[in-house]
Amino acid sequence: MALSKCNRLSGTLIKELLDSIDSVLFDCDGVIWRGDEAIPGAPQVINLLKKNGKRVFFVTNNSTKTRKMYADKLAKLGFNATEDEVFGTAYCSAVYLKTVSKVKGKVYLIGSNAMKQELESVGIDQVGVGPDPITGTQIDWVNVALDPDVRAVVVGFDEHFSYMKLNRALQYLTNPECILVGTNTDTRLPLEGGKAVPGTGCLLKAVETAAQRKAQVVGKPSRFMFECVASQYGLDPARTMMVGDRLDTDILLGTNCGLKTLLTLTGVSTVADATEHLQSGCPERLGMVPDYYVETIAELLPALQG
Amino acid sequence: MALSKCNRLSGTLIKELLDSIDSVLFDCDGVIWRGDEAIPGAPQVINLLKKNGKRVFFVTNNSTKTRKMYADKLAKLGFNATEDEVFGTAYCSAVYLKTVSKVKGKVYLIGSNAMKQELESVGIDQVGVGPDPITGTQIDWVNVALDPDVRAVVVGFDEHFSYMKLNRALQYLTNPECILVGTNTDTRLPLEGGKAVPGTGCLLKAVETAAQRKAQVVGKPSRFMFECVASQYGLDPARTMMVGDRLDTDILLGTNCGLKTLLTLTGVSTVADATEHLQSGCPERLGMVPDYYVETIAELLPALQG
């Protein structure tokens, strides 16, 4: 394969690349779908990759859905996919807490019902999901009722995030044995039309600032997301490709784990962004330069059909 | 005066120091009071300083009270003080927006009723005070109703801080002409017994992370807090002393503005903290080393009575 970076993937290079890999990790939003619509041609690409003997996984920092919810959405949009192939941060955080942190106790969860379900499915109880409105004054906040069994604070996306939740997290984290885990550090959730809403990274930063601690982060670009898939399926990094639309999460994850990397331009990052990283001369920015890019993953179709 | 730093203030040095200054800036919590109780001897110190012809000011990062509320509290605890001598970040932020930002429009305020009142008293309208609960989904959040007259987002202490407020701040700040101002960056509000609740710095960090901007900060150690007093009263920095309990706000403000600095040990920071900064060999940490320290400002009493 070419050693240079950021190559336009086309022609015979596509077949060559596909022959060099056994497994493909796809980010979801901006890669195989946008909002509630599949990227045209994406279901056929995924389904043909599998038909051609490749293993396919769906790797997303979104913490608001369970594996089951993702599998349902994939099926509805025409993707041939099973729950076991979905690695979202709701599921991966539960695995992380169970296998890496080996947390013995409950989780104080700033997060979604989906995270609650994934935690419960690995046998970890949580407290905290849902609204937590403010009452009283400082003296009440500092003496807020805490669950004595909590051993970890976990921060994912939570539209009920509030000062009281931030305060409760701080009170739990004054115990140095209580760990702090974040699903991901994405600062914004991009929507159509260049608009965005605040992402989990904002909530996590508030908690880190209060607790004066850095969180252990599960999601991309943390290596754990790949290791979570690799350990279950015995993946060979050298024969695995990461396909994503974000340089700072998807492509950096791929680089961090020694995977081949493919940027698709149907989402957040542009070729200009990648070129800027490439030309920066800054070693830590080089990890955000993909091996290849395509306009859309539909460009893989001819090689798969041929 | 001695050129060395972090001297224990005692004996004849006290009288010498007092003779060298015309004005004294006092932080409040941890310096002249703790919670709702005056530090023993503090009212007498303040009242005698004034009787001896010194000008005294109260300079606090707390944004939850108006000047009037502070004056009332000071009077109740036995301090001879007027509204005009109080410089809290609720008031100073209003002055900053009026005189430095020269904001032409409304403020989207993440903050207290006290901030609302101080803004209104300089003729700036605000929207945003009070609870702002979440409804709907992402598409509703990104299209949330905005006030077209808003030209600044201001973040102070707000116990009603919520995901919706964070989102609203982000939507306003996508307009590059909308400025971002923070009252202060204190990460925690310390209470008795070593406990604390999250401070404005946590909320500001969440907004900065969402907006991908750095805020203009009004409170200590920003020079503006001193300039706000100095411009109104014509203070000479060389003949002004800053008295505080925090190295990273009070003492650093004093250093930044060329004031004499006195640490009092009735609050957050310790002599060991100061010594650590002094011995770090790090130029930017030297600014957090006070000229002098006392156990309590009551130690100034004999020199003032004599």
Side-chain angles (χ1 to χ4, degrees):
Chain A
M1 307 300 320
L3 285 172
S4 65
K5 302 279 279 181
C6 209
N7 295 296
R8 179 76 165 94
L9 191 63
S10 63
T12 55
L13 199 55
I14 301 183
K15 184 107 196 3
E16 220 179 303
L17 176 62
L18 291 174
D19 285 345
S20 76
I21 57 172
D22 301 325
S23 306
V24 194
L25 275 49
F26 285 95
D27 176 41
C28 296
D29 204 40
V31 176
I32 63 168
W33 64 55
R34 274 208 299 227
D36 288 325
E37 290 187 30
I39 299 278
Q44 293 90 315
V45 168
I46 304 288
N47 300 347
L48 280 169
L49 279 167
K50 290 182 147 186
K51 207 171 168 187
N52 291 357
K54 309 298 183 193
R55 282 179 303 189
V56 171
F57 303 98
F58 305 92
V59 178
T60 169
N61 274 359
N62 188 317
S63 63
T64 64
K65 290 190 175 71
T66 60
R67 299 185 104 178
K68 170 96 175 57
M69 290 160 82
Y70 266 109
D72 290 348
K73 178 169 180 178
L74 284 159
K76 195 176 152 203
L77 296 181
F79 294 92
N80 165 10
T82 67
E83 258 183 69
D84 292 348
E85 294 163 339
V86 175
F87 291 80
T89 51
Y91 169 73
C92 291
S93 294
V95 174
Y96 183 88
L97 287 157
K98 190 78 181 175
T99 64
V100 180
S101 315
K102 297 185 169 64
V103 68
K104 301 265 182 290
K106 291 185 194 169
V107 157
Y108 173 61
L109 178 60
I110 294 179
S112 59
N113 264 309
M115 291 184 68
K116 173 178 186 280
Q117 288 172 42
E118 293 290 16
L119 284 169
E120 285 173 353
S121 77
V122 300
I124 298 175
D125 286 338
Q126 66 77 45
V127 291
V129 154
D132 188 1
I134 193 91
T135 53
T137 62
Q138 284 183 25
I139 201 73
D140 305 300
W141 310 338
V142 85
N143 293 310
V144 71
L146 299 181
D147 187 316
D149 296 329
V150 165
R151 295 290 178 276
V153 170
V154 179
V155 181
F157 185 80
D158 187 348
E159 73 258 36
H160 298 295
F161 188 73
S162 65
Y163 182 78
M164 201 48 154
K165 288 195 174 196
L166 176 62
N167 173 58
R168 223 178 274 269
L170 169 57
Q171 305 312 329
Y172 280 119
L173 290 166
T174 53
N175 174 0
E177 286 173 18
C178 182
I179 63 168
L180 174 58
V181 173
T183 57
N184 63 299
T185 58
D186 298 51
T187 57
R188 294 180 178 186
L189 299 180
L191 300 177
E192 294 297 304
K195 292 187 164 192
V197 296
T200 306
C202 304
L203 316 186
L204 187 57
K205 195 63 95 171
V207 173
E208 287 184 328
T209 303
Q212 291 166 35
R213 291 212 219 166
K214 291 296 282 182
Q216 302 166 43
V217 176
V218 170
K220 300 173 284 186
S222 160
R223 295 178 53 95
F224 181 76
M225 285 298 271
F226 174 67
E227 284 159 6
C228 196
V229 190
S231 64
Q232 290 182 25
Y233 289 90
L235 301 195
D236 174 4
R239 293 192 61 82
T240 301
M241 179 163 74
M242 176 73 215
V243 185
D245 71 316
R246 289 185 71 133
L247 302 173
D248 59 346
T249 53
D250 303 319
I251 302 305
L252 188 55
L253 172 77
T255 308
N256 284 345
C257 298
L259 319 181
K260 298 184 203 306
T261 52
L262 174 62
L263 173 70
T264 176
L265 302 178
T266 45
V268 170
S269 300
T270 65
V271 173
D273 296 335
T275 308
E276 212 175 274
H277 290 309
L278 185 60
Q279 294 173 343
S280 70
C282 175
E284 63 208 33
R285 290 180 66 182
L286 278 184
M288 290 190 274
V289 182
D291 297 321
Y292 308 98
Y293 70 91
V294 286
E295 291 289 332
T296 153
I297 62 167
E299 293 179 10
L300 304 180
L301 262 186
L304 288 165
Q305 289 164 329
Chain B
M1 309 297 321
L3 284 172
S4 64
K5 301 281 278 179
C6 209
N7 295 296
R8 179 76 166 93
L9 191 62
S10 64
T12 56
L13 200 52
I14 302 183
K15 184 109 197 358
E16 221 178 302
L17 177 61
L18 291 174
D19 285 346
S20 77
I21 57 173
D22 301 324
S23 307
V24 193
L25 275 50
F26 285 95
D27 176 41
C28 296
D29 204 40
V31 176
I32 62 168
W33 64 56
R34 274 208 299 227
D36 287 326
E37 290 187 30
I39 298 279
Q44 293 89 317
V45 168
I46 304 287
N47 300 346
L48 280 169
L49 278 168
K50 290 182 147 187
K51 206 170 167 188
N52 291 355
K54 309 296 182 192
R55 282 179 302 188
V56 171
F57 303 98
F58 305 92
V59 177
T60 169
N61 275 358
N62 188 317
S63 63
T64 64
K65 290 189 176 70
T66 59
R67 299 185 103 177
K68 171 98 175 54
M69 290 158 82
Y70 267 109
D72 290 349
K73 178 169 179 178
L74 284 159
K76 195 176 151 201
L77 296 181
F79 294 92
N80 167 10
T82 67
E83 257 182 70
D84 291 349
E85 293 162 339
V86 175
F87 291 80
T89 52
Y91 168 73
C92 291
S93 294
V95 174
Y96 183 88
L97 287 157
K98 190 77 182 174
T99 63
V100 180
S101 313
K102 298 185 170 63
V103 67
K104 300 265 183 290
K106 290 185 194 169
V107 158
Y108 174 61
L109 178 60
I110 294 180
S112 60
N113 265 309
M115 291 183 68
K116 173 177 186 281
Q117 289 172 41
E118 294 290 17
L119 285 169
E120 286 171 354
S121 77
V122 300
I124 299 175
D125 286 337
Q126 65 77 44
V127 291
V129 155
D132 188 3
I134 194 91
T135 53
T137 62
Q138 283 183 25
I139 201 74
D140 305 302
W141 309 338
V142 86
N143 292 310
V144 71
L146 299 181
D147 186 317
D149 296 330
V150 165
R151 294 291 178 277
V153 170
V154 178
V155 181
F157 184 80
D158 188 349
E159 72 258 36
H160 297 295
F161 187 72
S162 65
Y163 182 79
M164 200 48 154
K165 289 195 173 196
L166 176 61
N167 173 60
R168 224 179 273 269
L170 169 56
Q171 305 312 329
Y172 280 119
L173 290 166
T174 52
N175 174 0
E177 285 174 18
C178 182
I179 63 168
L180 174 57
V181 172
T183 56
N184 63 300
T185 58
D186 298 51
T187 58
R188 295 180 178 186
L189 299 180
L191 301 176
E192 295 297 305
K195 292 187 162 190
V197 295
T200 305
C202 304
L203 317 185
L204 187 56
K205 195 65 95 170
V207 173
E208 286 183 328
T209 303
Q212 292 166 36
R213 291 213 219 164
K214 291 296 280 181
Q216 300 166 44
V217 176
V218 170
K220 300 172 286 185
S222 159
R223 294 178 54 94
F224 181 76
M225 286 297 271
F226 174 67
E227 284 160 6
C228 196
V229 190
S231 65
Q232 290 182 24
Y233 289 89
L235 301 194
D236 173 4
R239 294 192 59 84
T240 302
M241 179 163 73
M242 175 74 215
V243 185
D245 71 316
R246 290 186 71 133
L247 302 174
D248 58 347
T249 52
D250 302 319
I251 302 306
L252 189 54
L253 171 77
T255 308
N256 284 345
C257 298
L259 318 182
K260 298 183 201 307
T261 53
L262 174 61
L263 174 70
T264 176
L265 302 177
T266 45
V268 170
S269 300
T270 65
V271 173
D273 297 334
T275 308
E276 212 175 275
H277 289 310
L278 185 59
Q279 295 173 342
S280 70
C282 175
E284 63 207 35
R285 290 180 65 182
L286 279 185
M288 291 190 274
V289 182
D291 296 320
Y292 308 97
Y293 70 91
V294 286
E295 291 289 331
T296 153
I297 61 167
E299 293 178 11
L300 304 180
L301 263 186
L304 288 165
Q305 290 164 327

